[in-house]
Amino acid sequence: MLTAEIIRKKRDKQTLSKAEIAEFIKGVTSGEVVDAQIAAMTMAILLNGMNNTETTDLTLAMRDSGEVMNWHDIDGVIVDKHSSGGVGDKVSLILAPLIAACGGYIPMISGRGLGHTGGTLDKFDSITGYQTAPSNKLFHDTVKKVGCAIIGQTGNLAPADKRIYAVRDVCATVESIDLITASILSKKLAAGLDCLVMDLKCGNGAFMSSLEDAVALAQSIVRVANTAGTKTKAVITDMNQVLGSTVGNALEVAEAVAYLKGENCNPRLHKITMELCAELLVTSRLSASLDEAHDKLQKVLTEGKALEKFAQMVATLGGPRDFCDDVWKYLPQAEIIRPVYAKDTGYVTAMDTRGIGLSVIELKGGRTTPQQKLNYANGYSQFCQLGDIADKEHPLAIIHASDENEYRRASQALQKLITISDKKPIPTNCIIKKIS
Ligand code: URA
């Protein structure tokens, strides 16, 4: 069938067959389908939607556009977590070694920062020597030996998604639930997973700001992934404030290591990470119940087993052997490290989390062009939480910047992005809803 005829069918609100979807994706992968046709098709899908069968067929065709990994030589369950993206989200850095310490195998293929959100890959790139693009063999061997490896997308993993995503990004077709589902899952399913847990962020620092949209995306992902044979659950978590006490690549790595050492436990980061881990342990039958999973997780954390896994992963992937002993021996540090205070005294009642993510990009902690080099040291530490007091003794955050200009711009930005009022806000639950 002609590509234009397949596009015409979706334009006219008709249902595409499995063969038509496969034909289109084959052309995307080979290059026969041109960018204009991808733009037209993705716009037709965004406007007219796809049914569950079409979305599943699209996901599987995109998965099969490249290599599909297999882990047959590993006698264990292959699991992963995916986050829809947030600000200060360092959950993957903690979750992967925790799950490995509990007996799961986690081959995590992560991405760079997208829009205002930070990327796990950029965080690992701040560790001297750590290879985020290892050979397939080293990746495989690390997962087998350590239990976890966090790396970037390899060239041949769901290549159709790479092309389609690049076109969507510049054609206003990112915000389609069907296309987001196929994009995320094509990569996750290509990693050969038995089980997946989705951390769907919801709030002013997430791509899905309304609960209705977050639920719709969660339901779509859970439905398609389970149909495709990967047991999947989604947890909708709050992103109306920065997650944890740091934002910025090296700073977030340091916070994750401090957490694994038991030195710094931000309550929201702890709750969300533990809940996602527990769901994964139960879904993969590594634990019989959520209570049992929580006990197991707490034990490996307290005994330092998860920290050991993190250290082994860093060393096996080329990073320093003693990285966790003193992370600041290896992570870059900013020229200027200085607090910023609120103009008024009171409680922190709201923050523009997306704006805070964008302000990290201003500090060169995120990109404005795909090739841009980052300053991994910059960002924020000791970031305030909703309900905290802000006064002349309690800063909004510590700014890590390259020079006085950057410091000044970041401090002015934070003073505007964080709301201070007299009345203490009512605490909200950071676990909003679970979808299975
Ligand atoms: N992340 C992805 O990988 N794909 C999307 O479409 C959106 C977020």
Side-chain angles (χ1 to χ4, degrees):
M1 197 176 192
L2 288 174
T3 302
E5 290 305 304
I6 303 175
I7 299 169
R8 183 195 294 264
K9 249 182 117 174
K10 190 39 68 187
R11 182 200 70 185
D12 294 344
K13 300 190 172 67
Q14 293 177 45
T15 302
L16 297 179
S17 69
K18 186 181 175 129
E20 285 159 347
I21 290 171
E23 179 77 16
F24 185 82
I25 295 302
K26 197 167 143 218
V28 170
T29 313
S30 69
E32 268 164 61
V33 170
V34 297
D35 282 1
Q37 291 171 314
I38 297 176
M41 177 61 113
T42 55
M43 187 58 86
I45 293 172
L46 180 133
L47 295 174
N48 298 329
M50 285 184 133
N51 66 29
N52 184 32
T53 309
E54 286 176 295
T55 311
T56 307
D57 290 340
L58 178 65
T59 306
L60 295 180
M62 283 164 64
R63 175 197 69 182
D64 295 337
S65 66
E67 179 194 357
V68 178
M69 294 183 182
N70 82 67
W71 305 93
H72 298 331
D73 59 332
I74 292 182
D75 184 19
V77 63
I78 310 294
V79 303
D80 199 1
K81 183 235 34 157
H82 184 77
S83 159
S84 59
V87 179
D89 180 5
K90 70 274 300 167
V91 170
S92 294
L93 283 71
I94 302 170
L95 175 141
L98 269 169
I99 293 293
C102 290
Y105 290 87
I106 190 151
M108 191 179 280
I109 295 170
S110 61
R112 302 213 175 277
L114 188 67
H116 66 284
T117 65
T120 299
L121 198 49
D122 294 326
K123 302 182 216 286
F124 278 98
D125 271 336
S126 69
I127 305 176
T128 319
Y130 188 100
Q131 292 182 56
T132 48
S135 65
N136 278 359
K137 181 170 177 347
L138 179 57
F139 179 46
H140 196 103
D141 291 351
T142 309
V143 173
K144 192 170 174 179
K145 185 177 122 197
V146 181
C148 59
I150 303 180
I151 65 156
Q153 189 177 351
T154 64
N156 199 27
L157 203 88
D161 173 64
K162 223 179 225 172
R163 260 201 90 197
I164 296 173
Y165 195 88
V167 174
R168 284 168 61 210
D169 204 20
V170 292
C171 291
T173 56
V174 171
E175 300 92 339
S176 148
I177 285 184
D178 306 308
L179 293 173
I180 296 175
T181 300
S183 171
I184 290 175
L185 286 182
S186 60
K187 289 169 285 203
K188 287 289 156 190
L189 299 183
L193 306 178
D194 298 314
C195 301
L196 173 69
V197 66
M198 273 298 301
D199 178 7
L200 252 154
K201 306 278 185 206
C202 175
N204 67 12
F207 286 114
M208 297 286 153
S209 50
S210 81
L211 181 58
E212 197 187 348
D213 287 347
V215 169
L217 180 57
Q219 284 171 337
S220 169
I221 289 178
V222 166
R223 206 168 41 221
V224 171
N226 282 310
T227 308
T230 297
K231 282 194 273 171
T232 300
K233 275 192 179 165
V235 182
I236 298 178
T237 65
D238 174 61
M239 194 24 84
N240 279 308
Q241 59 175 313
V242 160
L243 185 54
S245 61
T246 56
V247 194
N249 297 300
L251 293 163
E252 292 190 44
V253 172
E255 183 179 4
V257 173
Y259 174 94
L260 291 169
K261 283 179 164 177
E263 289 170 359
N264 174 6
C265 179
N266 175 279
R268 288 175 67 251
L269 178 62
H270 180 64
K271 188 157 185 203
I272 289 175
T273 306
M274 285 294 173
E275 207 60 42
L276 291 165
C277 284
E279 287 293 346
L280 208 44
L281 291 183
V282 172
T283 308
S284 60
R285 305 212 174 153
L286 286 167
S287 294
S289 67
L290 285 176
D291 283 345
E292 187 191 305
H294 278 283
D295 289 347
K296 201 169 181 173
L297 289 159
Q298 198 54 57
K299 191 161 184 285
V300 295
L301 186 60
T302 314
E303 289 175 351
K305 300 251 166 63
L307 177 70
E308 266 170 42
K309 290 287 180 192
F310 187 90
Q312 280 169 17
M313 173 178 76
V314 170
T316 311
L317 286 171
R321 304 217 150 267
D322 59 347
F323 179 72
C324 294
D325 297 346
D326 178 8
V327 296
W328 291 115
K329 207 166 121 190
Y330 298 105
L331 291 173
Q333 294 202 56
E335 292 297 316
I336 293 180
I337 302 176
R338 203 183 299 153
V340 53
Y341 294 92
K343 289 193 171 149
D344 306 312
T345 295
Y347 292 103
V348 177
T349 49
M351 55 181 85
D352 175 346
T353 317
R354 182 171 182 276
I356 293 162
L358 292 174
S359 76
V360 175
I361 297 178
E362 293 278 329
L363 284 168
K364 316 272 183 334
R367 291 178 190 78
T368 48
T369 59
Q371 292 77 24
Q372 192 184 330
K373 287 234 172 328
L374 298 189
N375 189 331
Y376 294 111
N378 291 356
Y380 306 117
S381 61
Q382 288 184 42
F383 210 97
C384 62
Q385 307 282 295
L386 299 186
D388 282 356
I389 288 174
D391 58 20
K392 291 292 162 238
E393 274 159 33
H394 298 89
L396 296 175
I398 311 272
I399 296 174
H400 298 241
S402 307
D403 55 39
E404 288 298 337
N405 272 341
E406 270 190 4
Y407 171 81
R408 189 176 34 80
R409 278 202 303 271
S411 58
Q412 286 169 352
L414 288 195
Q415 284 168 338
K416 285 200 191 107
L417 293 165
I418 298 170
T419 310
I420 308 295
S421 323
D422 293 339
K423 207 164 158 236
K424 192 169 178 167
I426 298 163
T428 53
N429 198 342
C430 54
I431 307 288
I432 301 172
K433 204 175 169 67
K434 291 184 182 178
I435 311 271
S436 52

